[in-house]
Amino acid sequence: MHHLRLGLLALALSTLGALGLNATSAPQDREAEAAVTDDEESSRPAVLVTGASSGIGRRTTEVLAANGFFVYAGARKDADLAELNALENVQGIRLDVTDPEQIAAAVATVEAGGRGLFGLINNAGVAVVAPLIEVTDADLEFQFDVNVKGPVRVTRAFADLLIASGGRMATTGSISGFLAWEFGGPYTMSKHAIESFSDTLAAELAPFGVAVGVVDPGNYRSQIGVSMRERLQARGYATEGSRYAEQMEARLSGPGDRDQYDEPDDVAAAFLAFLTDEAPRRRTIVTPNRAEAEMTLRAAIARVAEIASGPQEVFGEDEVLEMVKAALDGAR
């Protein structure tokens, strides 16, 4: 089956552009297309963005607010809420996605606003980087409490409003939902779960006219590494007691602010496209360069090849290639 693997790679890599797996995958001209006039301000459809204080969430909030939406922007800190409230067409909401009381209060705030809710962007997320045989239960629970249980809690709480509007819900995934890397187990496991969450929810909400999607970014500028590094250094994963002390020290000593990466403009544009396109994409991978897109696609294709070349040998190479072609046609 070696030729099958090579054939699949060649076919899929030749269609990177068609799948949107590159640095220009997200639309860049949405601001001109979706602009509204001043007399339409009161009728702007409402969207809730969680984790809106920085990075992807903040940029998505700004882009949506500038393109016809009223944004309820979730954040946890007073200073962040004040900054969000200063933005036009934005209302900050105190929202910790691990706190059921704050989620319920957010629902009450949106209901009181009288705009309903057309869109929900589950963006809040954290990163735990630690060896799987050493990560504590507390850190693993923290990872899943925010990244997996958070979207479930928030979506469940706002489901009635989304169904009433026939709206749309998208979650920030990651190319790590397809990849696996050393010490990234807790984080990549949570992002793999988001892929399943999105596909399952899409099937369950389709009868109610609610579209569900996931935007999977590559490496963009954010603050997620700052809090991650502080938390994990305090846990002692890089101490002499760890089997991986040297490797973890190198991992945690790097820059936490991710300033070396591009601003997440393409990611925000992908969320805008999901909310405004007539036929929104179920899954959009957005990367700052072709290398990250190719790495992600190769990981997905490798799994297909492993399934197809299993001991049962149920399908021949031509059959598998036809399946791939049909899937590409469907994605287009």
Side-chain angles (χ1 to χ4, degrees):
M1 300 300 288
H2 179 66
H3 295 296
L4 169 60
R5 185 184 298 264
L6 291 178
L8 286 169
L9 284 171
L11 172 63
L13 289 173
S14 70
T15 59
L16 279 169
L19 283 175
L21 293 175
N22 54 48
T24 59
S25 61
Q28 297 297 309
D29 55 356
R30 297 286 170 182
E31 294 191 11
E33 295 177 1
V36 296
T37 59
D38 291 340
D39 60 359
E40 294 175 306
E41 295 300 317
S42 61
S43 62
R44 284 172 171 259
V47 178
L48 170 66
V49 178
T50 69
S53 60
S54 65
I56 290 172
R58 176 60 179 264
R59 187 60 185 137
T60 298
T61 294
E62 294 168 346
V63 168
L64 296 183
N67 286 275
F69 292 95
F70 181 85
V71 182
Y72 293 105
R76 297 180 297 114
K77 299 178 181 178
D78 290 340
D80 294 329
L81 290 169
E83 287 188 11
L84 291 166
N85 280 322
L87 300 175
E88 189 174 0
N89 301 315
V90 175
Q91 178 180 338
I93 295 182
R94 192 178 304 279
L95 182 54
D96 181 337
V97 300
T98 69
D99 188 333
E101 291 185 0
Q102 288 192 18
I103 295 173
V107 173
T109 297
V110 172
E111 290 176 336
R115 297 173 180 268
L117 189 69
F118 173 75
L120 169 62
I121 305 297
N122 283 309
N123 172 71
V126 296
V128 171
V129 176
L132 284 176
I133 63 172
E134 294 184 0
V135 66
T136 65
D137 286 349
D139 284 339
L140 199 58
E141 174 60 27
F142 172 68
Q143 177 73 90
F144 277 78
D145 202 21
V146 178
N147 287 20
V148 181
K149 293 181 181 179
V152 173
R153 292 187 191 99
V154 175
T155 303
R156 184 171 57 209
F158 284 95
D160 286 345
L161 286 169
L162 291 171
I163 290 172
S165 68
R168 300 181 180 185
M169 191 287 292
T171 302
T172 301
S174 171
I175 60 172
S176 288
F178 304 89
L179 303 172
W181 37 275
E182 187 180 43
F183 308 135
Y187 181 71
T188 61
M189 287 162 61
S190 75
K191 290 303 183 179
H192 276 69
I194 288 301
E195 299 301 316
S196 176
F197 166 75
S198 301
D199 287 339
T200 302
L201 195 65
E204 293 176 354
L205 290 183
F208 303 104
V210 177
V212 176
V214 55
V215 174
D216 294 303
N219 284 296
Y220 288 92
R221 188 173 301 181
S222 75
Q223 294 298 309
I224 193 171
V226 175
S227 57
M228 179 271 291
R229 185 172 61 178
E230 293 174 353
R231 179 181 181 87
L232 297 182
Q233 285 177 334
R235 293 292 202 228
Y237 289 113
T239 64
E240 293 182 1
S242 168
R243 297 175 180 83
Y244 307 96
E246 184 176 344
Q247 299 97 314
M248 284 296 294
E249 175 61 31
R251 176 80 64 175
L252 297 178
S253 62
D257 55 17
R258 298 171 64 84
D259 281 346
Q260 71 272 33
Y261 296 115
D262 294 342
E263 292 288 353
D265 295 342
D266 290 343
V267 186
F271 279 121
L272 179 60
F274 175 79
L275 292 172
T276 57
D277 283 355
E278 182 177 351
R281 294 176 62 90
R282 168 75 58 79
R283 179 172 285 100
T284 304
I285 293 179
V286 186
T287 64
N289 54 62
R290 182 185 173 92
E292 289 187 18
E294 181 174 332
M295 175 175 61
T296 306
L297 188 56
R298 283 182 179 275
I301 292 172
R303 292 182 179 178
V304 172
E306 287 166 354
I307 295 170
S309 62
Q312 292 180 309
E313 294 285 351
V314 177
F315 301 103
E317 179 177 338
D318 290 342
E319 291 178 288
V320 175
L321 291 175
E322 283 301 315
M323 291 180 192
V324 174
K325 291 177 181 178
L328 287 172
D329 289 341
R332 296 190 186 105

